[in-house]
Amino acid sequence: MLPFNDDELDQMELVEGAMEITAAVEPAFPIGWVRIQLKKLAQEAEHALMDEPNPRLRLEGLLRLFYREWGFHGDNQQYFSSENALLDKVLQRKKGIPVSLGAIFLYLARHLELPITSVGFPTQYILKVDWYDGEQQFINPFDGEYISLRTLRGWLIGYRGPFTELKDEHFATADNKDILARWLTVLKSALLREEHYTDALRCSDLALSIRPDDPHEIRDRGYIYQQLDCSHAAATDYTYFIEQCPEDPAAELLKLQVMALNEEPLTLH
């Protein structure tokens, strides 16, 4: 369980919430070291850019500093590695995925008083700039490039089909709770791929503390229980998913899994 409620979660920096959830998943996570590194980056950015009175030029300077001078970039070679979702590894390697790089960039932008917020776009996490004259811009935190509406529509069509249209809801500022839930999903998927099932289970339990009774998360937890040879716990989670999502294509296959799991002898862990 997280040591704070939803309101407290939304009042803190996204990167701070990410540190807290990571520490809950990875007991050895060096949260103090990460805070020090972030503070150093913020001080360097402030020293370099706070004397620039034009906020647009200040943003251009931060993009240049973060992606070119410091060398932060998206990991194209091992995109699905858990290291790309763990902030200590991202800071050490200067490589990550949109949500981890974006959370760090957002933290720095707030220190520079830039009007940037989070957007949970359907295909990936992006950053939104709401300029004071009403203009909006969007940044891909994976590479620091601006994203046009045409490109965003192309992403959405590739994800949801050719008749999909952009809507205002796609660009709504996201709560930290929603972004962190997606972050946990990414981390959990990476840990499963790496067969780190105990850590993945902690991820799943933490995600359920943010979104209780989410049937898809409970289904995923059932899979983790199955890998850990907790057959009856897995069957219970699968059964819940089947009851909540009977029309899901996976439901029929999971019914067979439940039958097989219930035939296995009870194992005490």
Side-chain angles (χ1 to χ4, degrees), residues 221-222 225-226 230-238:
R221 187 179 64 179
Y225 277 139
Q226 189 174 1
C230 301
S231 301
H232 288 266
T236 298
D237 279 356
Y238 286 158

Side-chain angles (χ1 to χ4, degrees), residues 6 25 34 41-42 47 132 143 150 159 168 172 215 220 225 255:
D6 292 353
V25 173
V34 171
L41 292 177
H47 179 74
Y132 311 105
D143 56 16
R150 180 177 180 179
Y159 182 63
D168 289 343
D220 290 354
Y225 277 139
K255 288 178 183 178

Side-chain angles (χ1 to χ4, degrees), residues 192-257:
L192 285 173
R193 191 173 290 105
E194 296 162 6
E195 300 184 356
H196 297 156
Y197 297 119
T198 301
D199 289 343
L201 180 59
R202 283 196 287 264
C203 257
S204 191
D205 286 338
L206 198 57
L208 285 167
S209 75
I210 297 175
R211 291 179 173 173
D213 305 322
D214 180 336
H216 292 88
E217 189 60 55
I218 290 175
R219 176 202 59 192
D220 290 354
R221 187 179 64 179
Y223 173 77
I224 299 170
Y225 277 139
Q226 189 174 1
Q227 305 313 304
L228 292 170
D229 296 325
C230 301
S231 301
H232 288 266
T236 298
D237 279 356
Y238 286 158
T239 299
Y240 178 85
F241 175 80
I242 294 165
E243 291 171 349
Q244 298 299 313
C245 305
E247 303 302 320
D248 190 283
E252 290 303 316
L253 178 60
L254 288 177
K255 288 178 183 178
L256 298 176
Q257 288 279 352

Side-chain angles (χ1 to χ4, degrees), residues 132-143:
Y132 311 105
D133 60 4
E135 181 188 359
Q136 280 190 339
Q137 290 180 299
F138 302 97
I139 297 172
N140 182 358
F142 194 69
D143 56 16

Side-chain angles (χ1 to χ4, degrees), residues 122-135:
T123 59
Q124 69 161 68
Y125 175 83
I126 63 175
L127 297 170
K128 177 173 64 173
V129 191
D130 285 303
W131 291 116
Y132 311 105
D133 60 4
E135 181 188 359

